Amino acid sequence: MPVGESKGWAMDKPDLKEMSPSEMRAFCERLGEQAYRARQVFRWVHGRGAVDWREMTNLPRALRERLARVAVIGRARVLERQEDRGDGTVKLLLELADGETVETVLLRHRYGNSVCVSTQVGCRMGCAFCASTVGGLVRPLTAGEMAEQVLAIQRDLGAAERVSHVVLMGIGEPLENYDAVVKFLRLIHEPDGLGISYRNMTLSTSGLVPGIRRLAGEGLPVTLAVSLHAPNDELRSRLVPVNRRHPIAELLAACDEYAARTGRRVTFEYALIDGVNDLPELARELGRLLQGRLCHVNLIPLNPSGRGLAGSPPERVREFQEIVTRYGISTTVRRELGAGIDAACGQLRRRRAAGFGVPVTPDGRDGV
Ligand code: SAH
């Protein structure tokens, strides 16, 4: 496939949004242009989020016209925009060139503006509580389509504010789309692009061990988050089916390797599901499992996602946290952001998809 050509959009012309700086240079050289032009174009596309050739005012008009003939700048259309007026969370439903849709969320934290990026259209991991997997996997996203999600949020923020953090916790399993995801992380890290620090990026996985090991050797100091959700194989296999392929012992060994090679502590995500994985004895089992590891536990009361499961009540969350903390493990309870706007992954896309019209009632619980 020619350099920069996208599988997801712009089938006929190469997409500048897919190109790394070196691919952009090669592309410009083939057009007979000098290397510094490639840098200017990269800055427009990945730094300033330009979507119109006319914006590229430091390029000669003839070059702009030529580029417009031979290439495209991939762009997503905002189909829906929701904003939580309380905490400033913004959720965009984006339409890609082939009509598929993905969700992207801006989460405002005290430490910065974080974008929650989707890595696939749909998902085939089959987790019991997650809305993204209903309907299965449609297709992977390209690196440019992931970058466009961050750029769409940056455009929404305007010039006064910057995206500082990126979490791969939207729709999809990032390690199933390994090459495109790593290319995307490099693209948004580029100093001529968004310049986001690797330390401010978090990749969340349901537990694909070979991908974790590969990522450990990539030399990117991104935070690894692992969706653990249960302290034993019997329960985890029911909630996160990939556990049957890569059970907990194997998963934790890969996490230890990741921590050792990158020096980064691994985050374990644990969605607390009422009466399922939130019992005190499971908290103790989790404490024993993780004791002594370079890690952090993020407890998340389950967001109702139309799958017949409910989040744990606050007092059970507190008790669970207290027990795990006793094992010397650092824990946080994830602050619920965007509660008023279908915050849980995959809900917005799913609500729009024909046949999955689960209404969410105003009190935030599923209308089923
Ligand atoms: N596929 C990756 C990343 C996407 S999901 C993964 O599994 O990690 C990001 C996080 O949200 C995961 O920890 C996932 O288990 C969790 N999640 C999914 N549905 C949820 C829900 N309804 N409530 C709370 N967390 C949920």
Side-chain angles (χ1 to χ4, degrees), residues 116-117 119-120 123 125 127 129-132 168-175 203-207 225-229 240 268-273 300-307 309 334 344-347:
C116 180
V117 170
T119 55
Q120 297 178 314
C123 184
M125 302 315 290
C127 299
F129 47 82
C130 182
S132 303
L168 303 190
M169 294 187 183
I171 298 170
E173 169 49 53
L175 294 181
L203 184 151
S204 177
T205 178
S206 55
V226 172
S227 302
L228 193 58
H229 304 318
V240 184
F268 292 104
E269 294 159 283
Y270 199 107
L272 287 161
I273 311 171
I300 315 142
L302 187 85
N303 265 303
S305 55
R307 308 205 49 196
L309 298 167
R334 191 183 288 170
C345 313
Q347 287 186 8

Side-chain angles (χ1 to χ4, degrees), residues 4-315:
E5 190 171 322
S6 151
K7 277 171 277 179
W9 52 21
M11 300 298 273
D12 45 348
K13 293 181 190 177
D15 177 4
L16 299 183
K17 202 156 273 170
E18 292 294 331
M19 295 183 199
S20 67
S22 62
E23 288 169 339
M24 190 86 82
R25 264 196 309 280
F27 181 73
C28 285
E29 269 165 25
R30 279 204 303 281
L31 293 179
E33 293 292 336
Q34 305 216 17
Y36 77 97
R37 293 292 185 207
R39 190 164 179 202
Q40 287 177 319
V41 175
F42 189 89
R43 278 187 178 152
W44 278 113
V45 173
H46 279 283
R48 316 267 302 258
V51 286
D52 189 327
W53 306 99
R54 280 168 302 198
E55 288 177 67
M56 304 183 181
T57 44
N58 60 351
L59 299 182
R61 181 199 282 256
L63 174 57
R64 277 185 271 157
E65 285 172 357
R66 188 146 176 241
L67 283 172
R69 274 198 306 278
V70 298
V72 295
I73 310 171
R75 169 150 206 200
R77 195 160 69 89
V78 179
L79 278 187
E80 243 181 271
R81 180 185 188 280
Q82 299 183 340
E83 181 167 356
D84 187 315
R85 294 197 187 280
D87 59 33
T89 301
V90 174
K91 187 160 197 165
L92 302 180
L93 185 70
L94 298 174
E95 185 184 46
L96 307 171
D98 62 357
E100 293 297 344
T101 56
V102 286
E103 295 175 24
T104 305
V105 184
L106 164 71
L107 300 156
R108 292 174 185 274
H109 298 287
R110 280 175 296 276
Y111 53 78
N113 292 314
S114 180
V115 181
C116 180
V117 170
S118 295
T119 55
Q120 297 178 314
V121 180
C123 184
R124 64 185 191 109
M125 302 315 290
C127 299
F129 47 82
C130 182
S132 303
T133 199
V134 178
L137 175 67
V138 179
R139 69 167 173 86
L141 293 176
T142 67
E145 287 171 328
M146 290 181 246
E148 172 64 356
Q149 295 175 52
V150 185
L151 290 166
I153 292 286
Q154 183 59 61
R155 282 194 289 271
D156 193 82
L157 277 174
E161 285 185 277
R162 301 294 300 168
V163 171
S164 57
H165 291 66
V166 165
V167 296
L168 303 190
M169 294 187 183
I171 298 170
E173 169 49 53
L175 294 181
E176 269 218 326
N177 190 14
Y178 189 94
D179 291 338
V181 162
V182 167
K183 183 174 186 182
F184 157 68
L185 298 177
R186 293 189 200 280
L187 276 176
I188 59 171
H189 175 72
E190 282 298 332
D192 284 331
L194 291 164
I196 297 171
S197 153
Y198 286 125
R199 289 172 189 281
N200 290 356
M201 301 181 195
T202 301
L203 184 151
S204 177
T205 178
S206 55
L208 291 179
V209 167
I212 293 174
R213 293 197 187 277
R214 198 170 157 201
L215 191 67
E218 205 70 59
L220 307 176
V222 303
T223 299
L224 176 70
V226 172
S227 302
L228 193 58
H229 304 318
N232 60 63
D233 285 325
E234 198 267 315
L235 181 57
R236 187 163 193 268
S237 292
R238 279 198 280 138
L239 296 174
V240 184
V242 72
N243 191 68
R244 293 179 202 137
R245 243 193 299 156
H246 303 293
I248 292 177
E250 189 190 333
L251 176 60
L252 290 187
C255 292
D256 290 346
E257 182 188 328
Y258 191 88
R261 291 186 72 176
T262 62
R264 313 276 302 155
R265 84 182 174 174
V266 174
T267 296
F268 292 104
E269 294 159 283
Y270 199 107
L272 287 161
I273 311 171
D274 191 16
V276 175
N277 64 353
D278 61 351
L279 310 173
E281 67 244 40
L282 293 174
R284 286 190 286 275
E285 201 176 347
L286 184 66
R288 287 194 298 274
L289 188 70
L290 299 182
Q291 203 166 21
R293 287 198 147 86
L294 182 62
C295 73
H296 175 82
V297 172
N298 199 357
L299 300 168
I300 315 142
L302 187 85
N303 265 303
S305 55
R307 308 205 49 196
L309 298 167
S312 308
E315 62 278 9

